[in-house]
DNA sequence: GTTCCTGCAAAAGCTTTGCAGAAGA
DNA sequence: TCTTCTGCAAAGCTTTTGCAGGAAC
């Protein structure tokens, strides 16, 4: 299971990437929080245990983890990027009201198009937007007033 | 056919949106250039015929056209947004080398997931990334050297 | 001891905001 | 005439860059 922090460290070691305290904390945070956090969310949380932490390090680390193939970047029509540990194929649903991102199961391999026969596809993202059940419910209650 | 400029004007009139010179030019540009242009590309081109044009107007217009349901915004892991006239369902492939965006046919309705039974899906985007045929070819030639 | 990483400060890039003058209906 | 749009200047946000000191191995 990739989310195991020891496995993650092993992967980095295999790629000759130094296991700094900051990097391990970022990885650990992503492994434990499947909330598709933004740089700022990661920063705010980790700063509690690493007071000297800087946002630059978060950016550096996330770029490196993306390069190493351990994290995905999500940019769903948003100002700030969101990050996640690479996981099984799934799509992302972003609620336009509460801004939360929800995963949904999906085999992206099923999505093929003969138009792309000569293309080398390296990443596949499926992004949906709309209202999540909670926000739909709130809307309903509001309109009853 | 939605790309017809007269039809586009009709749609705006029906929504009580004023048909300013700038707006019509932006619409016309998008209808004639299926290249998923950025704000800057639209600005640079239209500025030739409207010297006083400002980027703010491009932003205002694109927001309004999106609101009116006439354009789509694409944010494929990119710094700047790209725009297109709404068209048949299709996916987008972005070449990570030349940065061009290619359309490919796709029925997004086919992409369903029981996980989203209680969600209200309003927009569906399928984004692929990788290398386009031309860049693959260049790579091949480079490695032969 | 080397090499690479961290974090600060500053800058860069895209987008938004406020507002006065201009244009659309 | 009344309302709405345009375009300027300035600000806002996220992200990147350069570099000196510090940590990893």
């Amino acid at each position: 299971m990739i989310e195991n922090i020891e496995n993650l460290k092993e992967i980095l070691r295999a790629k000759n990437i130094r296991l700094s305290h900051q990097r391990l904390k970022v990885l650990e945070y992503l492994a434990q929080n499947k909330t598709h956090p933004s740089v700022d969310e990661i920063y705010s949380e980790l700063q509690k245990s690493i007071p000297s932490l800087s946002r630059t390090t978060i950016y550096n680390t996330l770029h490196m983890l993306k390069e190493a193939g351990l994290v995905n970047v999500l940019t769903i029509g948003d100002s700030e990027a969101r990050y996640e540990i690479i996981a099984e194929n799934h799509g992302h649903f972003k609620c336009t009201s509460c801004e939360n991102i929800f995963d949904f199961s999906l085999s992206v391999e099923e999505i093929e198009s003969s138009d792309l026969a000569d293309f080398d596809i390296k990443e596949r993202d499926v992004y949906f937007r709309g209202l999540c059940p909670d926000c739909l419910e709130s809307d309903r209650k509001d309109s009853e007033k």
Side-chain angles (χ1 to χ4, degrees), chain A residues 17-32:
Chain A
I17 294 169
R18 291 192 182 173
L19 282 66
S20 75
H21 184 218
Q22 288 85 340
R23 287 176 175 174
L24 292 176
K25 282 295 183 183
V26 170
L27 256 185
E28 189 183 63
Y29 184 84
L30 287 174
Q32 292 172 358

Side-chain angles (χ1 to χ4, degrees), chain A residues 4-19:
Chain A
N4 181 301
I5 194 77
E6 282 309 319
N7 292 3
L8 294 168
K9 283 162 82 168
E10 206 48 59
I11 293 168
L12 292 184
R13 258 193 290 266
K15 293 184 187 257
N16 277 322
I17 294 169
R18 291 192 182 173
L19 282 66

Side-chain angles (χ1 to χ4, degrees), chain A residues 19 24 44 53 55 61 72 96 101 116 120 127 134 136 141 143:
Chain A
L19 282 66
L24 292 176
S44 299
L53 187 63
R55 253 171 268 262
T61 300
N72 256 340
T96 51
I101 295 176
L116 297 177
D120 178 14
Y127 291 154
D134 283 357
L136 272 173
K141 285 192 180 145
S143 62

Side-chain angles (χ1 to χ4, degrees), chain A residues 52-65:
Chain A
S52 68
L53 187 63
S54 94
R55 253 171 268 262
T56 304
T57 298
I58 309 287
Y59 280 107
N60 287 341
T61 300
L62 291 170
H63 289 166
M64 178 236 95
L65 291 173

